[in-house]
Amino acid sequence: MHLVSQSALIALSFALADATTFESASQALQLDWDTITPSGDLVYHDCYDGLQCARLEVPLDWTNSTDTRTAVIAIAKLPAVVSDNDPSFGGSIFVNPGGPGASGVSFVLSDGHDLQQYVDKPGRRHYEIVSWDPRGIGRTTPSSDCFRSDAVSRSAWQLEARGNGGLDKGLDPIKYGLAMAKALSQRCKDSEHQWGDAMAFVNTPSVARDMVQMVDKIDELRKREGVSKAHDEPRLELKKRTEEDDVPRLQYIGFSYGTALGNYFASLYPGRVGRMVLDGVVNADDYANGPGWLTNLHDTDEILEEFWRGCHQAGPSTCALASDSDGSASEIKARFWSWVADLDDIPIPALSSTGTIVVITGDDIRKLVGSSLYDPIRTFKLLSTTLQQAMAGNTTGLVSNLVKLGHVPNLDTICSENNGTKPASILPESQSAVICGDGDDITDKDASWWYKYVQRQVSKSKLYGSYWANIRFSCSSWPFRPNLSFKGPFTTPKAFPSLAAGHPAAPLLFLSPRLDPVTPLNSARAMAANHPGAAVVIQESMGHCVIGTAPSDCTKAIVADYFESGTVPSEEIACKAQCGPWDDNCSGYSPAAVSISESTSWQFRGNPILFL
Ligand SMILES: *[C@@H]1O[C@H](CO)[C@@H](O)[C@H](O)[C@H]1NC(C)=O
Ligand SMILES: *[C@@H]1O[C@H](CO)[C@@H](O)[C@H](O)[C@H]1NC(C)=O
Ligand SMILES: *[C@@H]1O[C@H](CO)[C@@H](O)[C@H](O)[C@H]1NC(C)=O
Ligand SMILES: *[C@@H]1O[C@H](CO)[C@@H](O)[C@H](O)[C@H]1NC(C)=O
Ligand SMILES: *[C@@H]1O[C@H](CO)[C@@H](O)[C@H](O)[C@H]1NC(C)=O
């Protein structure tokens, strides 16, 4: 997760595997996607270590059959541990890691095995895990890249935005930021000459349509290969089906933005829903309508309160910010905010380990702490150490984490590896292209409107509101409008396990931590209420999303049962987590084989540069 800058582009974040780290550690497995010839039928090629990859050609414009332009979707699959015709083969589970803008291919590489273990029932059900780089993103072409692979120019842009400071500082940074956004918009339009307005076709309804295509193409491939549909429920085989019922259906887990994508899919193509798990739930109405992105931060500051409480309780041996002389958590909190206020007043200079100049402000601290709330188990102890050292005048760890999270562009790697020869992590423009295309057009808003918008965000979260406002601010001059648009209602008809055309095969299953910094529980409840029969499972943990941020056998069993039987709990239930951020027995928790190292750098399970 990480992201970036303050300006127009950016934002948020989500917490799954650090794809960048993974890939650099796996140079030997680097796949040259250009060697795969795109095709309209699905053709898999062996790739990486035990995966299969494909490049699927789809119409760029799903609404205009005379438009012959295409997008080529990069797909990666982790095969099931059994063969396709094994009776325990459960079919494909599609996953989306969020963002928007995160690469599904990287996600399969980094987290595929863990996700597979999460849903598989040994001896009973075994799934293949499939993901893809959505339109405009990663290895999918055309790419939403306003800088034409000129990473240095993009970083210069990000540094300038960083220097402009937080949008909550008044009208001046807003006015300057609006001009920067307008200039970027010009650059994006210029970059599109090659493709036409390709960035108008990357929004979520188009991606949902691509998912229908992928599901159909997988089904076709299986039929071509003569594999029986062994994964269908045996009882379904007995039922006489009409042609119409017998459509391939999606099995899906969406995280964060991926829950919005899932909700679009289910609402647009309810008859294509087989199973759908939505974890870390976005309020799709707020995402698609109005000023936008105003519901995310409902619980953010509450998690920060939990951080102080937990730190005080754990004491100085576990939480470096605590002191034996503290009478309560509020003393730790007061020290922190007073330090941040000092930094807001007088920024301090620092150098990164390689000499990059970094001027640290209170904004940096708010962003760093906000990022940490995504993944308390992996970061809280380290956060406390990093902050304590910085408050004592040692900014080494602070700067390295700011760089790692992308809050400071990493100039050291830009010219060497990130020069266009390698798929970049997440481009801010590719996030904006999706977010701005899905949301209402807000390109006519002036500085005073934005000032009020920023204030609204800050009123939701003192910690993260100013940063969060950048997400929609990136749309202030966004030049592309999609023709294929969907604004809701985000709802489905009743599910029919016996399969009926136009109806889901199972109700939707929503997952939420008790406290999530960017997709609060109340969004999960609001979204579930519009899907008949849907259930909300609360995990008694903190962080962004449930799967991957805290261990809970209870949640895991519900998810695995759901994929097998299609049943959800009959009412909202809560699952305990097995350990928390300050427990010793949690530090090894590593669903993605990413562990906190001894160093003060964080191994985020986050693809750099995500919002959700
Ligand atoms: C459909 O695509 C064709 C070919 O690119 C184009 O000439 C036509 O204007 C498009 N129609 C619409 C409604 O966009
Ligand atoms: C400053 O902090 C870093 C880790 O963040 C540590 O390695 C280093 O020893 C510290 N320097 C001093 C002078 O304490
Ligand atoms: C980009 O980086 C790669 C890998 O470090 C290097 O081989 C290549 O020469 C670089 N290209 C340019 C144009 O700098
Ligand atoms: C949307 O459709 C209109 C015609 O209905 C066309 O003129 C316009 O170019 C289309 N926009 C995009 C982005 O395709
Ligand atoms: C971890 O430690 C906590 C606190 O001591 C305890 O409540 C919890 O049950 C432990 N979890 C495991 C998996 O051992």
Side-chain angles (χ1 to χ4, degrees):
M1 93 185 169
H2 108 108
L3 190 193
V4 182
S5 72
Q6 308 248 41
S7 76
L9 304 183
I10 323 244
L12 16 162
S13 275
F14 168 52
L16 289 161
D18 189 332
T20 322
T21 303
F22 179 92
E23 286 178 25
S24 50
S26 314
Q27 291 297 339
L29 307 175
Q30 198 70 30
L31 173 75
D32 188 359
W33 286 81
D34 291 343
T35 63
I36 301 180
T37 308
S39 62
D41 285 323
L42 190 64
V43 182
Y44 281 121
H45 304 257
D46 290 339
C47 61
Y48 301 106
D49 187 10
L51 302 191
Q52 299 207 295
C53 295
R55 296 182 74 203
L56 183 68
E57 205 165 16
V58 297
L60 185 67
D61 184 353
W62 280 111
T63 67
N64 183 353
S65 55
T66 61
D67 187 337
T68 55
R69 292 175 298 168
T70 58
V72 176
I73 303 175
I75 300 174
K77 164 176 105 169
L78 174 67
V81 299
V82 297
S83 70
D84 284 20
N85 47 19
D86 188 285
S88 71
F89 179 64
S92 315
I93 294 180
F94 281 71
V95 294
N96 176 279
S103 159
V105 171
S106 298
F107 190 47
V108 171
L109 278 166
S110 58
D111 288 57
H113 283 101
D114 294 301
L115 287 165
Q116 191 171 59
Q117 277 178 20
Y118 200 88
V119 292
D120 270 9
K121 289 185 161 187
R124 280 181 71 85
R125 280 280 155 145
H126 297 279
Y127 304 91
E128 61 182 30
I129 305 295
V130 177
S131 194
W132 75 105
D133 290 356
R135 285 164 173 249
I137 292 162
R139 300 137 182 108
T140 285
T141 57
S143 168
S144 299
D145 174 2
C146 300
F147 292 90
R148 304 193 204 192
S149 300
D150 179 355
V152 174
S153 288
R154 184 182 296 101
S155 294
W157 161 270
Q158 290 175 329
L159 275 176
E160 184 170 346
R162 177 180 157 74
N164 186 36
L167 296 178
D168 59 333
K169 300 294 184 294
L171 278 171
D172 285 350
I174 289 175
K175 287 176 184 166
Y176 194 88
L178 285 172
M180 285 191 69
K182 206 166 273 180
L184 179 67
S185 144
Q186 191 58 52
R187 180 132 194 181
C188 291
K189 269 195 294 201
D190 290 351
S191 76
E192 285 288 87
H193 288 155
Q194 184 189 354
W195 285 102
D197 291 344
M199 279 190 250
F201 301 97
V202 302
N203 66 328
T204 302
S206 298
V207 177
R209 180 62 185 83
D210 293 341
M211 290 162 74
V212 173
Q213 188 77 351
M214 288 188 279
V215 168
D216 284 347
K217 292 296 167 183
I218 288 177
D219 187 68
E220 272 179 33
L221 176 65
R222 222 161 250 149
K223 285 182 175 139
R224 271 207 307 278
E225 291 177 345
V227 176
S228 68
K229 294 178 76 185
H231 60 287
D232 277 354
E233 296 286 319
R235 68 176 184 273
L236 299 180
E237 312 281 354
L238 305 174
K239 293 212 61 149
K240 202 161 148 239
R241 291 187 184 148
T242 68
E243 272 281 91
E244 268 202 316
D245 299 335
D246 193 16
V247 291
R249 288 172 185 259
L250 174 75
Q251 305 190 101
Y252 178 72
I253 308 176
F255 298 93
S256 195
Y257 158 78
T259 70
L261 176 57
N263 214 336
Y264 275 81
F265 181 95
S267 304
L268 289 165
Y269 308 105
R272 296 307 203 103
V273 174
R275 305 281 186 267
M276 183 168 288
V277 174
L278 303 181
D279 181 5
V281 183
V282 170
N283 183 319
D285 293 313
D286 176 41
Y287 172 82
N289 300 284
W293 293 72
L294 285 163
T295 55
N296 301 88
L297 305 184
H298 188 266
D299 293 338
T300 315
D301 289 359
E302 181 57 26
I303 305 182
L304 185 59
E305 291 300 316
E306 290 295 330
F307 176 73
W308 308 127
R309 272 196 280 277
C311 177
H312 177 63
Q313 205 168 6
S317 61
T318 306
C319 178
L321 283 171
S323 157
D324 284 327
S325 58
D326 288 334
S328 72
S330 59
E331 293 178 38
I332 307 173
K333 177 181 171 181
R335 281 197 294 276
F336 169 81
W337 282 115
S338 142
W339 176 62
V340 173
D342 288 349
L343 287 174
D344 279 333
D345 191 29
I346 305 179
I348 55 171
L351 297 180
S352 78
S353 57
T354 54
T356 300
I357 292 170
V358 183
V359 174
I360 300 166
T361 67
D363 282 331
D364 292 317
I365 310 306
R366 282 183 281 266
K367 283 186 282 190
L368 179 78
V369 174
S371 302
S372 169
L373 304 184
Y374 281 68
D375 202 356
I377 289 179
R378 290 192 187 74
T379 66
F380 272 12
K381 289 179 189 172
L382 284 164
L383 176 68
S384 69
T385 304
T386 302
L387 292 176
Q388 193 274 333
Q389 288 174 341
M391 289 165 77
N394 180 353
T395 54
T396 306
L398 176 63
V399 169
S400 93
N401 282 313
L402 286 171
V403 171
K404 192 154 192 168
L405 287 168
H407 292 311
V408 175
N410 191 348
L411 301 178
D412 306 325
T413 55
I414 286 164
C415 302
S416 54
E417 56 182 83
N418 199 8
N419 63 3
T421 60
K422 221 181 102 156
S425 37
I426 293 184
L427 306 183
E429 317 91 275
S430 64
Q431 300 193 296
S432 299
V434 177
I435 291 165
C436 307
D438 284 337
D440 283 350
D441 186 349
I442 47 171
T443 53
D444 61 345
K445 308 301 183 197
D446 64 10
S448 67
W449 187 92
W450 280 107
Y451 183 81
K452 284 183 211 120
Y453 179 81
V454 175
Q455 296 311 312
R456 285 178 80 178
Q457 291 288 12
V458 172
S459 75
K460 309 273 177 194
S461 171
K462 181 181 171 189
L463 181 75
Y464 218 39
S466 172
Y467 179 57
W468 205 250
N470 285 298
I471 299 167
R472 280 298 270 163
F473 197 64
S474 79
C475 300
S476 59
S477 286
W478 190 254
F480 309 108
R481 292 306 301 171
N483 273 1
L484 183 56
S485 173
F486 183 67
K487 298 290 183 179
F490 292 96
T491 184
T492 44
K494 187 177 175 324
F496 280 104
S498 52
L499 301 188
H503 292 256
L508 276 55
L509 177 61
F510 291 83
L511 309 179
S512 179
R514 177 65 68 183
L515 292 174
D516 185 309
V518 290
T519 51
L521 174 57
N522 67 3
S523 291
R525 287 176 173 150
M527 294 300 98
N530 294 332
H531 293 280
V536 176
V537 173
I538 303 165
Q539 185 169 287
E540 297 294 355
S541 59
M542 299 183 287
H544 184 34
C545 303
V546 157
I547 298 173
T549 59
S552 169
D553 291 341
C554 165
T555 315
K556 182 179 185 301
I558 290 169
V559 172
D561 286 349
Y562 171 73
F563 276 107
E564 182 177 9
S565 67
T567 55
V568 301
S570 55
E571 55 188 29
E572 181 175 297
I573 66 161
C575 275
K576 289 226 171 345
Q578 274 136 243
C579 57
W582 305 103
D583 293 338
D584 286 340
N585 57 10
C586 226
S587 51
Y589 176 56
S590 175
V594 177
S595 57
I596 295 179
S597 63
E598 303 313 312
S599 82
T600 47
S601 281
W602 302 346
Q603 286 284 6
F604 267 104
R605 299 183 71 225
N607 204 330
I609 314 203
L610 288 199
F611 297 113
L612 277 175

